[in-house]
Amino acid sequence: VEPDAEWAAEIRRLAAERDAVILAHNYEIPAIQDIAHHVGDSLALSRVAAAAEQSTIVFCGVHFMAETAKILSPDKTVLIPDEAAGCSLADSITAEQLAEWKSEHPDSVVVSYVNTTAAVKALTDICCTSSNAVDVVASIDPDREVLFLPDQFLGAHVRRKTGRDNVLVWAGECHVHAAINGDQLTAKAGAHPGAELFVHPECGCATSALHLATEGAVPADQVKILSTGGMVDAARASGAREVLVATEVGMIHQLRKAAPEIDFLPVNDQASCPYMKMITPAALLRALVEGADEVHVDPVTAEAARGSVERMIAIGN
Ligand code: 13P
Ligand code: SF4
């Protein structure tokens, strides 16, 4: 299936027929981003999903995102074009592992990244995304111990920003972002003096980015640790000629649209999320024709998880 004008017209016609809104994450392929009614980061898309007037949400993203939309809107139909679109980070902790960790720290507050299963969210006090993780932890009584999961690099960023050493961090990672390492970033920054650095906090190189700033190799105000939505806002505000981008490569499409005059260069051009790329033009067409794959979350789990997700969408930006 070619994502041509005929395909686009058919997608929009079928979406209208189903009373469906199409959401796409910033890591989807350009054709999927361009056909969606809304493109954004995890937090922005959760908020759009929660407020949607349509009876059906078609989530062009990965499974935990569609599941989060279903938790927020249990009466809506939530479709994902390919239910096999998982997430290595969400797979890095199970509900059983979290239950055991909690039993070792019974008085702690559990903060889970939105990249988790519904079963993990059901054992969580507050969810967060990369754009509000620091605000979420800062909203918790400083005397309470926090269990932060599952991403170790985002956890390290939160500890740095809040200055709290009572935030315990799970050792999980996203295989795509972990592979964007400090050596690659240092080499690219050396080859492009003057470039700004946009770094997603899930990256293995997030700490190295801050070291470059501390050592003066890159001026501190040119190093920005941002969610994918934060990168789009920063691109609009940036007067830079070149920006080095440390995140999944799908991000470059929205950045170029936001600031066509800037040269955006991926720090690692192999950093492509295989799960996000399962949402092909053919898969989206099939989803709208067949009404599949439908996302179901067991009502008891959804009920237990809802509070933590609602707290997430209420905090920060
Ligand atoms: P954000 O879009 O919220 O920054 O998250 C990135 C991500 O890895 C989603 O899978
Ligand atoms: Fe998960 Fe990483 Fe893919 Fe994001 S980029 S969906 S965290 S595997």
Side-chain angles (χ1 to χ4, degrees):
V1 174
E2 281 304 310
D4 52 16
E6 202 181 319
W7 170 84
E10 185 64 355
I11 295 290
R12 285 303 181 100
R13 188 188 68 75
L14 289 165
E17 197 174 273
R18 277 192 184 275
D19 185 32
V21 62
I22 303 173
L23 312 184
H25 188 266
N26 288 320
Y27 297 160
E28 293 301 329
I29 62 166
I32 297 289
Q33 295 190 26
D34 291 345
I35 195 72
H37 298 105
H38 301 274
V39 185
D41 66 10
S42 312
L43 185 60
L45 293 178
S46 296
R47 286 182 173 145
V48 173
E53 280 165 11
Q54 291 82 352
S55 57
T56 295
I57 295 169
V58 181
F59 217 120
C60 298
V62 294
H63 197 263
F64 74 80
M65 296 181 175
E67 227 177 33
T68 304
K70 184 68 182 178
I71 290 167
L72 285 165
S73 307
D75 299 333
K76 288 194 203 305
T77 301
V78 178
L79 304 177
I80 183 166
D82 188 338
E83 67 184 359
C87 170
S88 59
L89 182 53
D91 286 344
S92 66
I93 188 163
T94 63
E96 291 71 28
Q97 287 171 314
L98 175 54
E100 195 181 330
W101 201 26
K102 280 177 73 158
S103 73
E104 292 159 9
H105 301 270
D107 298 324
S108 57
V109 180
V110 177
V111 178
S112 295
Y113 196 31
V114 71
N115 298 41
T116 42
T117 60
V120 165
K121 289 184 175 76
L123 299 177
T124 293
D125 296 303
I126 316 184
C127 288
C128 69
T129 75
S130 55
S131 69
N132 70 356
V134 173
D135 292 333
V136 165
V137 172
S139 76
I140 297 165
D141 177 351
D143 294 331
R144 300 281 306 274
E145 185 177 63
V146 173
L147 302 184
F148 187 93
L149 62 112
D151 190 75
Q152 56 182 297
F153 300 109
L154 180 63
H157 173 66
V158 165
R159 279 175 62 104
R160 254 191 317 260
K161 281 288 207 183
T162 59
R164 288 177 63 152
D165 51 18
N166 63 350
V167 176
L168 309 187
V169 178
W170 190 258
E173 64 181 31
C174 152
H175 74 294
V176 181
H177 284 90
I180 307 175
N181 64 45
D183 291 347
Q184 292 160 359
L185 182 74
T186 307
K188 277 265 160 120
H192 297 271
E196 276 189 9
L197 269 48
F198 288 4
V199 178
H200 195 278
E202 281 176 29
C203 286
C205 66
T207 310
S208 308
L210 296 169
H211 283 159
L212 288 172
T214 330
E215 289 159 7
V218 178
D221 63 351
Q222 282 175 218
V223 178
K224 298 187 171 129
I225 312 280
L226 298 162
S227 70
T228 64
M231 288 186 189
V232 176
D233 295 339
R236 290 203 183 95
S238 166
R241 199 171 45 82
E242 280 183 327
V243 174
L244 306 181
V245 183
T247 194
E248 207 275 349
V249 290
M251 188 67 232
I252 302 289
H253 184 58
Q254 286 304 316
L255 292 174
R256 286 189 181 140
K257 282 175 97 164
E261 69 287 359
I262 298 177
D263 202 2
F264 293 99
L265 306 162
V267 168
N268 175 344
D269 60 10
Q270 304 298 305
S272 174
C273 174
Y275 305 113
M276 290 282 181
K277 273 42 177 184
M278 287 177 172
I279 312 304
T280 58
L284 176 56
L285 182 62
R286 186 200 66 98
L288 285 163
V289 170
E290 296 177 10
D293 297 334
E294 188 170 350
V295 175
H296 298 282
V297 181
D298 151 62
V300 176
T301 307
E303 177 65 33
R306 191 164 306 121
S308 68
V309 178
E310 285 175 346
R311 269 169 234 128
M312 169 186 91
I313 61 173
I315 297 179
N317 48 37

